Amino acid sequence: MEHALLTADGPVRSGVLAETGPDGRVTALTEDTPAPPPGAEPLRGLTLPGLANAHSHAFHRALRGVVQAGRGTFWTWREVMYQVAGRLDPDSYLALARAVYAEMALAGITAVGEFHYLHHAPGGVRYDDPNAMGEALIEAAAQAGIRITLLDTAYLSSGFGEPPTAPQLRFSDGDAGTWAARAALLKDREHARIGAAVHSVRAVPADQLEQVARWAEERGAPLHVHLSEQPAENEACLAAHGRTPARLLADHGVLGPRTTGVHNTHLTDEDIALIGGSGTGTCMCPTTERDLADGTGPAPALQRAGSPLSLGSDSHAVIDLFEEARALELDERLRTRVRGHWSAGALLRAATADGHAALGRPEAGRLELGAPADWTTVALDTVRTAGPPPARGAETAVFAATAADVRHTVCAGRHVVRDGVHTLVPEPARELASAVADLHTGRA
């Protein structure tokens, strides 16, 4: 590694030689190596721990460039999303997700948290393998060369006390017990871990929240939940339960150190104290939150209260964790008219170590002995990154680089992206174009 950040918020080191073992972990690290020894793979640029995309809906990638036309709200966007979801089957989902995850690898992402609720066939008919759609995602990640935490999602109702609508029948198992039985059939494997998710307080009845939380607790698995993304959700929750979504989740045992609230946008001071005091994480998805006009969440207050921050590309309006990190800071500057809420290193930590921890991989997100050999190299000689000294590599990566500046991505010691070319998926752009076109023309 010509230059490296062994931890995202540490100093830049130069001439770092990393050795890896057959299990894909780091077996030796030597700093100040003057030149690559014979047989070494030289990584020119700034090498960082692999990025963690803590919140993804793979099929939303098919909406890019479509839902940006015209006006509307989150709720009108959702209707278009349902149309795309209704056309997918296990084969077409594998094709699309493989290309999406290859795009992530090209962006320096080595692990993704897939918030997965597209479980069944149209009308809610079960596939012969009840987890065929989830298995397609796990296989897609394997083929694209990245790790996945499949956050199998309980999605049981359309609103407080309301049954699923016709498009949502694909998402629902009927009740939390049936969801738990199906999710229990999924198994961890070398590149994949199984977690759980509550889609939202409107989609899981209050008396069934505890069962989903207990399922995750018994397995030591991560638990994610969309939380207070929309004011309308808060208002409906208050009307139904007399409590905010955060308080409802706290009262039913959902909050805690293994839990991550996604978005956490429209919160009261009490909500912030509940989330931070319980050690519940916060996954911010700035490019989606601004694309959907959701608003800017109180990330600084949440972090001060004790909530670790992670980042996700969510709907994949873009797939670029550097942009997500940059947007977290810059959106807050617009809101407060104050600069410097986070250092570049702190933003990279959200994109690496804290993101991996949110996905149930606390051992990842750093370059050290015994850690997974997962990293990405950002070129320092492109038109965007040339100029600053290597010592300012973190600032260059966060405030100047884009996904297009990723030169290499290594996962489990294997070169997945070399010199900007994916080694396992020869033409990811062509595969994306084909998979998305099939969905929009109804061929899927």
Side-chain angles (χ1 to χ4, degrees):
M1 303 173 187
E2 183 182 23
H3 307 290
L5 286 170
L6 303 187
T7 59
D9 47 3
V12 174
R13 310 290 188 182
S14 296
V16 177
L17 176 65
E19 300 177 47
T20 65
D23 62 351
R25 293 181 176 270
V26 178
T27 58
L29 275 175
T30 307
E31 297 182 32
D32 301 317
T33 306
E41 290 270 8
L43 304 180
R44 302 293 182 189
L46 176 70
T47 298
L48 314 167
L51 306 179
N53 188 350
H55 189 66
S56 163
H57 302 289
F59 75 92
H60 288 192
R61 174 61 178 80
L63 302 174
R64 186 185 296 178
V66 175
V67 292
Q68 281 75 29
R71 298 170 62 86
T73 66
F74 168 86
W75 307 102
T76 55
W77 167 90
R78 191 175 70 159
E79 294 306 312
V80 181
M81 180 269 286
Y82 285 163
Q83 294 172 20
V84 171
R87 298 186 184 118
L88 283 162
D89 60 28
D91 290 337
S92 58
Y93 208 7
L94 171 59
L96 176 63
R98 163 186 152 103
V100 173
Y101 295 155
E103 182 181 0
M104 290 186 192
L106 288 164
I109 292 163
T110 57
V112 60
E114 185 62 39
F115 199 102
H116 167 57
Y117 54 83
L118 190 53
H119 301 305
H120 309 300
V125 177
R126 272 50 174 171
Y127 291 106
D128 291 341
D129 175 356
N131 286 304
M133 296 294 271
E135 292 292 347
L137 292 164
I138 292 171
E139 177 60 22
Q143 292 186 19
I146 69 172
R147 305 181 193 272
I148 185 171
T149 297
L150 188 76
L151 298 159
D152 195 280
T153 303
Y155 194 137
L156 309 174
S157 66
S158 63
F160 299 95
E162 298 295 326
T165 62
Q168 295 167 338
L169 292 173
R170 297 198 71 174
F171 312 157
S172 179
D173 289 293
D175 57 63
T178 306
W179 166 84
R182 179 187 53 73
L185 299 175
L186 292 160
K187 303 300 180 187
D188 288 354
R189 55 212 77 176
E190 186 174 351
H191 79 292
R193 294 186 182 175
I194 307 303
V198 169
H199 178 273
S200 56
V201 292
R202 69 178 185 274
V204 177
D207 61 359
Q208 299 184 57
L209 289 169
E210 186 176 346
Q211 185 166 3
V212 180
R214 186 168 61 249
W215 188 97
E217 182 179 7
E218 289 171 351
R219 290 160 175 79
L223 174 64
H224 288 212
V225 54
H226 289 134
L227 178 54
S228 289
E229 182 178 3
Q230 291 290 322
E233 176 183 290
N234 290 356
E235 293 162 7
C237 188
L238 285 165
H241 297 290
R243 287 170 281 184
T244 65
R247 168 54 72 183
L248 186 68
L249 293 173
D251 290 348
H252 289 276
V254 176
L255 302 186
R258 280 195 307 276
T259 301
T260 297
V262 181
H263 303 303
N264 290 1
T265 307
H266 302 282
L267 302 176
T268 66
D269 290 344
E270 181 191 16
D271 293 338
I272 293 170
L274 284 171
I275 293 166
S278 63
T280 300
T282 295
C283 180
M284 302 296 288
C285 307
T287 64
T288 291
E289 289 150 6
R290 69 192 185 197
D291 184 51
L292 297 181
D294 284 344
T296 301
L302 283 161
Q303 191 170 50
R304 286 194 299 270
S307 180
L309 299 181
S310 55
L311 296 168
S313 62
D314 193 358
S315 69
H316 313 313
V318 297
I319 294 177
D320 187 338
L321 265 288
F322 301 116
E323 174 61 21
E324 303 293 347
R326 175 163 55 244
L328 189 64
E329 168 67 24
L330 298 186
D331 288 356
E332 192 63 22
R333 292 183 186 184
L334 285 174
R335 190 180 71 83
T336 63
R337 291 179 289 176
V338 174
R339 302 175 78 233
H341 300 274
W342 294 277
S343 67
L347 293 168
L348 285 176
R349 181 177 178 84
T352 57
D354 287 347
H356 289 289
L359 299 181
R361 299 181 181 277
E363 73 281 6
R366 56 189 60 83
L367 294 172
E368 62 182 30
L369 291 179
D374 300 353
W375 50 74
T376 186
T377 303
V378 179
L380 296 179
D381 56 1
T382 73
V383 292
R384 289 168 294 276
T385 61
R392 291 297 182 191
E395 289 77 9
T396 302
V398 170
F399 293 106
T402 72
D405 297 307
V406 169
R407 182 169 282 161
H408 308 288
T409 300
V410 173
C411 189
R414 178 173 64 170
H415 228 135
V416 178
V417 174
R418 179 183 278 112
D419 293 319
V421 177
H422 203 291
T423 63
L424 303 174
V425 181
E427 297 183 70
R430 180 185 59 78
E431 291 194 16
L432 278 166
S434 176
V436 171
D438 286 349
L439 283 175
H440 288 296
T441 58
R443 293 197 299 268

